[in-house]
Amino acid sequence: MATQWLTEHEMKAWLRLYAVVELLPSALDSQIRRDAGLTHFEYAALGMLSAAPEQTLRMTELATKTNATLARLSHVVRRMADRGFVDRIPCPGDGRATNVRLTDAGQRKVEAAAPGHVATVRTHVFDVLTPEQVDQLITVADAMLTRLDPDGKKKPGS
Amino acid sequence: MATQWLTEHEMKAWLRLYAVVELLPSALDSQIRRDAGLTHFEYAALGMLSAAPEQTLRMTELATKTNATLARLSHVVRRMADRGFVDRIPCPGDGRATNVRLTDAGQRKVEAAAPGHVATVRTHVFDVLTPEQVDQLITVADAMLTRLDPDGKKKPGS
DNA sequence: GAAGATTGAAGGTTCAATCTTT
DNA sequence: AAAGATTGAACCTTCAATCTTC
């Protein structure tokens, strides 16, 4: 089957999407790194724990919520445990599983970092979009996630 | 000034955008890594050179086009030169500048990798979007790029 | 054997310092 | 002093192998 190349219009869209996909993580990362000494991924993980019941999640659940592989998360959780932001607790019900719990120090860290992070997200995303465009963003992102995340694990609050 | 937290609707949009921003690079990277032995960033750099006049660009220009820092690009170009895909040529007109030129082997490498890459982009993006949604994607991405890229360097073919 | 998770090594990116030319 | 680029070290992610429990 011959390759169906991108049209000029599609290429235009692709270059913009690609730019966002490359530049947005950098912007998030450098802000939170400078202001809180965390990577954006670390912040996201702490934030998910903060919102979870008992401030606790299994490794696998946390990996799903943060769009990460288990290997990546495992390294990050070890470092954050060393820094006192989380505890690792063997799961009582299942000897294979590990529960990760946010510590008080971890909770304080997220709370301190949150305002700056939200401000960055507002600056780069919501400040420049109309309410209608926010709706369009949801629809378009959902469409792409049907392929990127076929099981629909990354769509909380649908 | 008190933090203006995200509404539930904004949070929904943010979680989806964030998922796309994390998962799309992984998807692009693993496909092209498996099939061509290149990172997606290396492919993007070779592709930009391939489309440039004389298949040549200055480091700074190439960094802009690939959304990268000069430090990152410098390391990548060194590795690709070692592999024979590009040549580094001191710029005749300006002793500080370096021109990067695609070699024949580099050209063959991009050409071999392109069909698989385009297929991946189609699968994850254009196959799941209506023409109207492609237009919306362009508008929304452009809006975010006014903040992520204030100088408008990343919007070729506007 | 599959699921849940961890580990070490290899590879890529970031940061700060540096160098040369303008 | 600024612009263009490079470098090495530190850090993070990926990959493959491994371990334990179900």
Side-chain angles (χ1 to χ4, degrees):
Chain A
M1 197 186 76
T3 294
Q4 192 188 347
W5 300 104
L6 298 186
T7 66
E8 218 172 297
H9 193 58
E10 286 171 336
M11 183 58 88
K12 181 171 163 179
W14 171 241
L15 288 175
R16 278 157 180 71
L17 174 58
Y18 179 57
V20 169
V21 153
E22 284 279 311
L23 297 175
L24 189 53
S26 299
L28 296 169
D29 228 56
S30 48
Q31 178 273 320
I32 210 155
R33 215 152 182 154
R34 174 168 40 75
D35 296 347
L38 292 172
T39 63
H40 180 262
F41 179 73
E42 288 171 334
Y43 172 79
L46 294 179
M48 290 300 175
L49 289 173
S50 173
E54 314 269 335
Q55 286 66 259
T56 303
L57 287 171
R58 282 201 186 180
M59 288 294 290
T60 300
E61 290 178 84
L62 186 53
T64 297
K65 285 185 191 291
T66 54
N67 310 304
T69 62
L70 216 38
R72 177 185 186 186
L73 183 63
S74 185
H75 286 300
V76 170
V77 165
R78 173 174 36 72
R79 280 175 237 140
M80 292 205 295
D82 290 345
R83 296 170 73 184
F85 298 147
V86 299
D87 285 330
R88 326 170 87 167
I89 304 163
C91 180
D94 187 335
R96 297 169 302 178
T98 303
N99 285 324
V100 187
R101 185 176 58 194
L102 194 63
T103 63
D104 290 347
Q107 179 66 42
R108 286 193 296 275
K109 191 73 177 172
V110 199
E111 285 172 9
H117 176 253
V118 171
T120 306
V121 172
R122 282 219 169 280
T123 297
H124 291 89
V125 181
F126 297 108
D127 283 355
V128 294
L129 297 182
T130 65
E132 193 186 358
Q133 288 174 330
V134 173
D135 292 339
Q136 293 173 355
L137 172 59
I138 292 177
T139 310
V140 168
D142 265 346
M144 294 194 275
L145 288 173
T146 60
R147 293 293 167 86
L148 291 167
D149 167 39
D151 299 338
K153 293 178 180 171
K154 312 298 173 54
K155 292 189 203 167
S158 290
Chain B
M1 196 186 80
T3 294
Q4 191 189 345
W5 300 105
L6 299 185
T7 65
E8 217 173 298
H9 193 58
E10 286 171 335
M11 183 59 86
K12 182 171 163 178
W14 172 241
L15 288 175
R16 278 158 181 70
L17 174 57
Y18 179 57
V20 169
V21 154
E22 284 278 311
L23 298 175
L24 189 53
S26 299
L28 295 170
D29 228 57
S30 49
Q31 178 273 321
I32 211 156
R33 215 152 181 154
R34 175 168 39 76
D35 296 348
L38 292 172
T39 63
H40 180 261
F41 179 72
E42 288 171 333
Y43 173 79
L46 294 179
M48 290 301 175
L49 288 174
S50 173
E54 313 271 335
Q55 286 66 268
T56 303
L57 287 171
R58 282 201 187 180
M59 287 294 291
T60 299
E61 290 178 85
L62 186 53
T64 298
K65 285 186 191 290
T66 54
N67 310 304
T69 62
L70 217 36
R72 178 186 186 186
L73 183 63
S74 186
H75 286 301
V76 169
V77 165
R78 174 174 35 72
R79 280 176 238 138
M80 293 205 295
D82 290 346
R83 296 170 72 184
F85 297 147
V86 299
D87 285 331
R88 326 170 85 166
I89 304 163
C91 180
D94 186 335
R96 297 169 302 179
T98 303
N99 284 325
V100 187
R101 184 177 59 194
L102 194 63
T103 64
D104 290 346
Q107 179 67 43
R108 287 193 296 274
K109 191 72 176 174
V110 199
E111 285 173 9
H117 175 253
V118 171
T120 307
V121 172
R122 283 222 169 279
T123 298
H124 290 88
V125 182
F126 297 107
D127 283 356
V128 294
L129 298 181
T130 65
E132 192 186 359
Q133 288 174 331
V134 173
D135 292 338
Q136 294 173 355
L137 172 58
I138 292 177
T139 310
V140 168
D142 265 346
M144 295 194 275
L145 288 173
T146 60
R147 293 294 167 86
L148 290 167
D149 167 39
D151 299 338
K153 294 178 181 170
K154 313 296 171 58
K155 292 188 203 168
S158 287

